[in-house]
Structure formats: structure tokens, C-alpha cells
Amino acid sequence: MLLGAIADDFTGATDLCSMLVRGGMRTVQLIGVPEPELPTPDADAVVVALKSRTAPTAQAVEESLAALRWLQAAGARQFFFKYCSTFDSTDQGNIGPVADALIAALGCGFALACPAFPTNARTVYQGHLFVGGSLLNESGMEHHPLTPMTDANLVRVLSRQTEGTVGLVAFAAVDRGANAIRDAMTQLKERGRRYAIVDAITDAHLAAIGEAAANHALITGGSGVAMALPENFRRAGLLSRTTDPGVLPPIEGACAVIAGSCSRTTLAQLGYARSHLPTFELDALATPDAAALSEAALAWAADKIGHKPVVIAASAPPDKVAALQSRLGRDQAGALIENAVAKIAEGLLVRGVRKFVVAGGETSGAVVRRLGVRSMRIGTEIDPGVPWTFAEAGKTATGGSGPGLMLALKSGNFGASDFFLKAFRVLEA
Ligand code: ADP
């Protein structure tokens, strides 16, 4: 194993896996902290997917350190902490506290932080994160149900979350290439900075940043900055040029979409899907009960499964999310929905669904756990950052042994407007 990564949510983990597969690394995603006795997968990169983005900070730190220890024992040469390209976090963390703990455990003293992903319109300039043409705090992310992002200045955002200090490698250095970036990072480290937010506007910038960090024990960021890592390993003679890392076994079975993301992108994708596919929307305000919501959805789906893909959505616009949150509290509202969609996923599995598209990071975490998935092999990309994956048989929460599954875990903000149709079209091709 060359690269050992820890991702703070499930869609983020598959996004990173997809990037590494594109670079020619055979990649496996493990769900949750691996059991100590789990055999090391036959892969160049292993990405441990945690659900730590919004977990209590102490738990996020503890799980991340446990994942690090497993990856170290499995022989990884370099480590990556993957978080969202929109830097999803609160003033309490968990990006800063987890990165602090990983830096301390590795004894490296310093790490770069770069969430940029230009392919998906996330860029960082003068330390400010943009989503398309908008600053992060004007991009819709200020309404995120769990991690509202109200400040686009990442030096400030990360400073509030860490005991260390944060510097900036600004565009002028980044644009001069890998050597200039390496020099700027060395200077920041020598001046006692624990982190460098690194500007990046293009893939060429990401490639240069990755090259500059070839010898870093730890890299933190979005999947974009991992773009150059396969080439680093190849240059060092550690990775062959010939692997075809993305071929998955074919699977029979019905198709479903489960959506819990409330991002603008997902709401638009649902709008498009509604006119092409049978769609059911959970009304959590009218029925704030997970069991009743899932029963209603499954009863609706019963005679539709197996014909066209069925779409079941909890997703709602900001005013409806706010209404549910003011009634139940933010965490309770999220937990209610996540519990409901997890039950729905399990019910769909029992009824023959084997190909799932899940929209939303937290939502994917809830679904994947309930389906008992422990490990996923990464295949073809549907849209940037969202691959189909093959999940080995897992044990479902109800105790039965689960069948093999195809899963596409979509970060809320990712994918084109026809994503939910395209995902299944890609499988037929
Ligand atoms: P994203 O990838 O867009 O961040 P997530 O699934 O990570 O999506 O987060 C969305 C959160 O919003 C989840 O915790 C989900 O349970 C919650 N949620 C979904 N629908 C609603 C709703 N109608 N009201 C309140 N919260 C909701």
C-alpha cells in the first residue's frame, strides 16, 4: 500500500478513491475504522471512510487516529486527510482538531490544506474559497443543514479550529510551480506555522501542489489535491503504468435513488429526475417519525421497483429544513431523516434493489452503515468525483448476510443536472 487516506465522510471517500483510480491506482474504500485483524486489501491506496465530519470532536479525533494506526500497520507510505471541497466544518471542528491529532501522531509538525477542486468549480484565491463565481458564504453553503459555512476566508476558518497557526501559500507562488510552492511551505513551517492554506485555481496548480508535497507525511484537502499523487509514486518507481484499476463485476437487480442532500445541486437534480422517474418525497414535517416515513416510502415503491429506477427524497429547500430544525433541533432533524432513509434503503434491498445512488455525504453514511457494507472497490466514474462502486456482501443491520451491491455515493454538490438518470445509463453501456 502506497497511500493511506482517512475521509471524514463517505461520499468524500469515494470522491478521493475516484481521483486515485483515474490516476491508475487500484483503490479500495473501507467503511469505518478497520478491525485490527482485517487483511490488508490488495490495492495501491486504501481510503478509510469515517462519518466524522459532524461527529462529536473527541470521537472524530479518536476514530481518525485509530484509522491512522491501522493504515500505518498496513504499510502505507504517505497519509491523506480528506475533507469536503467546501471545507464543511464548524468553529469546533472537525477539520482542525483531526488534522492537529494526525500531525501530532505522525510527528510531522506541518501540513498543507487545500480543498480546491476546479473541475467541480471549487477554487481558492488569496485563501478565499469560491464555489463557481461565488464566495463560499454566498454559495448556498451558508444554508447547509449541519455545517453552515458563513466565512470564505479559510485561513480564518481553520485558525478558529486549531491550536496551531495558519499561513497562506498565495497564488503568486502557486502559479510559479512546484519549487516555489515547496519553498513557500518550507518558510511557513520554519516560521512555526502548522498549516498552509494553498491557493489553487486550475488543475495545473493542483498538480504542482501535489508534486511539491511528494515527501510530506500528511496532506490534507479535497480530492483535487490528490490528483498528482499517483504520478509522484510513479516517478519514485513505486507504481506501475499498466494497471487498469476500475473494472467491476456485473450485477443484476433493481435500481433506486435515495436523496438526503439539501444542496442546490441535488435539489436541481431531483427537479430533473421528477419529470423522468417515479419520485416520492418524504414529508418529515407532517410525519416526524422515521418508521412511519419509511413505511410510506416503501409502500409507494412496492409496485414500482424493477421497472424504472425509483427516486425517494428527503431533500428539501432551506425554508422547509429550517422549519423541521426549529421544531426538532438541528441534530434531531438530521438524525430523524438519516434514520428514515437508512430504513428505506434496507427495505429496498430486501425488495430486490441492488443498484443504489445515494445523494448526500451524511445520508450515504447512514445508508451504507445500515446496509452492512464494509468495503467497496472503485469503478467507472459517472460524473467527476462520483464513481460506481462494488460493495462486497455485508451483514445487514437486521442480521442477514447481504448480497453484492452497486453503490454510487454522491456528495450533495456533485454531478450534472441529469445525474440520477445518467448513473443508470452508464451501467447499461
Ligand atoms: P450534503 O452532501 O449535501 O452535505 P448530507 O447528506 O451530508 O448532504 O447532509 C444533509 C443533511 O440534511 C442530512 O443530515 C440530512 O439528514 C438532513 N436533511 C435532509 N432532508 C432534510 C429535511 N427535509 N429537513 C431537515 N434536514 C434534512
Side-chain angles (χ1 to χ4, degrees):
M1 191 196 309
L2 301 174
L3 187 71
I6 300 160
D8 72 351
D9 88 336
F10 288 47
T11 51
T14 31
D15 170 20
L16 174 60
C17 288
S18 204
M19 180 63 79
L20 298 171
V21 165
R22 216 184 302 152
M25 294 180 89
R26 294 166 310 141
T27 305
V28 167
Q29 176 172 341
L30 301 178
I31 305 298
V33 177
E35 303 292 334
E37 64 276 10
L38 182 81
T40 307
D42 178 23
D44 304 310
V46 171
V47 179
V48 176
L50 301 179
K51 197 170 179 300
S52 56
R53 182 171 297 168
T54 55
T57 301
Q59 181 188 333
V61 167
E62 193 185 312
E63 290 182 3
S64 303
L65 288 175
L68 176 70
R69 283 191 292 273
W70 189 90
L71 291 165
Q72 284 177 306
R77 293 164 182 256
Q78 187 174 42
F79 301 91
F80 195 98
F81 172 33
K82 160 74 177 68
Y83 40 78
C84 193
S85 60
T86 40
F87 215 77
D88 298 17
S89 52
T90 67
D91 286 353
Q92 286 69 49
N94 288 331
I95 294 176
V98 168
D100 283 353
L102 296 175
I103 288 172
L106 289 165
C108 55
F110 176 87
L112 71 85
C114 181
F117 194 178
T119 310
N120 278 340
R122 274 55 157 172
T123 54
V124 181
Y125 180 66
Q126 304 300 347
H128 288 70
L129 180 54
F130 289 81
V131 177
S134 304
L135 283 163
L136 176 66
N137 55 309
E138 298 170 2
S139 68
M141 279 303 297
E142 68 276 24
H143 300 303
H144 191 282
L146 304 176
T147 49
M149 298 303 293
T150 55
D151 186 359
N153 181 328
L154 297 183
V155 174
R156 254 184 344 228
V157 172
L158 184 55
S159 293
R160 287 195 287 266
Q161 298 179 29
T162 171
E163 289 161 8
T165 53
V166 184
L168 173 67
V169 178
F171 176 80
V174 173
D175 206 38
R176 290 208 307 277
N179 286 339
I181 299 166
R182 200 177 294 117
D183 289 349
M185 289 196 290
T186 305
Q187 277 176 21
L188 287 174
K189 186 178 180 189
E190 284 172 2
R191 276 194 253 131
R193 299 280 187 271
R194 190 179 294 176
Y195 296 101
I197 299 289
V198 186
D199 279 359
I201 294 173
T202 64
D203 283 354
H205 295 148
L206 290 177
I209 296 164
E211 187 185 340
N215 296 321
H216 287 200
L218 175 70
I219 297 171
T220 87
S223 61
V225 74
M227 182 181 293
L229 303 187
E231 194 51 38
N232 286 347
F233 292 122
R234 227 171 254 126
R235 215 178 287 120
L238 296 168
L239 182 67
S240 91
R241 291 193 173 271
T242 51
T243 43
D244 180 5
V247 182
L248 302 182
I251 282 217
E252 295 296 317
C255 304
V257 174
I258 298 177
S261 164
C262 302
S263 70
R264 280 183 194 167
T265 305
T266 298
L267 293 175
Q269 288 162 340
L270 285 169
Y272 185 92
R274 212 172 283 128
S275 49
H276 296 87
L277 299 174
T279 301
F280 183 85
E281 286 170 64
L282 304 187
D283 189 348
L285 262 176
T287 315
D289 177 84
L293 286 170
S294 81
E295 272 164 33
L298 292 170
W300 169 85
D303 62 349
K304 299 179 184 66
I305 291 170
H307 302 291
K308 281 182 172 183
V310 294
V311 180
I312 297 177
S315 315
D319 57 329
K320 284 202 173 159
V321 171
L324 189 67
Q325 290 186 338
S326 70
R327 170 129 32 120
L328 301 179
R330 186 172 78 173
D331 292 349
Q332 275 295 97
L336 165 72
I337 302 278
E338 288 174 33
N339 195 4
V341 294
K343 281 180 193 292
I344 291 166
E346 195 175 15
L348 292 173
L349 181 73
V350 170
R351 289 162 179 75
V353 174
R354 295 291 177 270
K355 298 166 196 167
F356 288 90
V357 172
V358 188
E362 299 291 334
T363 308
S364 294
V367 166
V368 161
R369 277 192 190 168
R370 185 65 67 104
L371 296 184
V373 172
R374 296 310 311 255
S375 144
M376 295 152 63
R377 196 161 276 279
I378 309 302
T380 323
E381 226 172 23
I382 304 161
D383 271 333
V386 200
W388 273 110
T389 70
F390 177 79
E392 317 283 342
K395 266 202 174 316
T396 64
T398 46
S401 183
L405 294 175
M406 300 290 293
L407 292 170
L409 308 182
K410 188 190 84 70
S411 168
N413 287 313
F414 283 8
S417 57
D418 65 344
F419 183 88
F420 295 137
L421 282 91
K422 185 178 175 191
F424 299 109
R425 259 203 325 267
V426 167
L427 282 185
E428 285 157 16

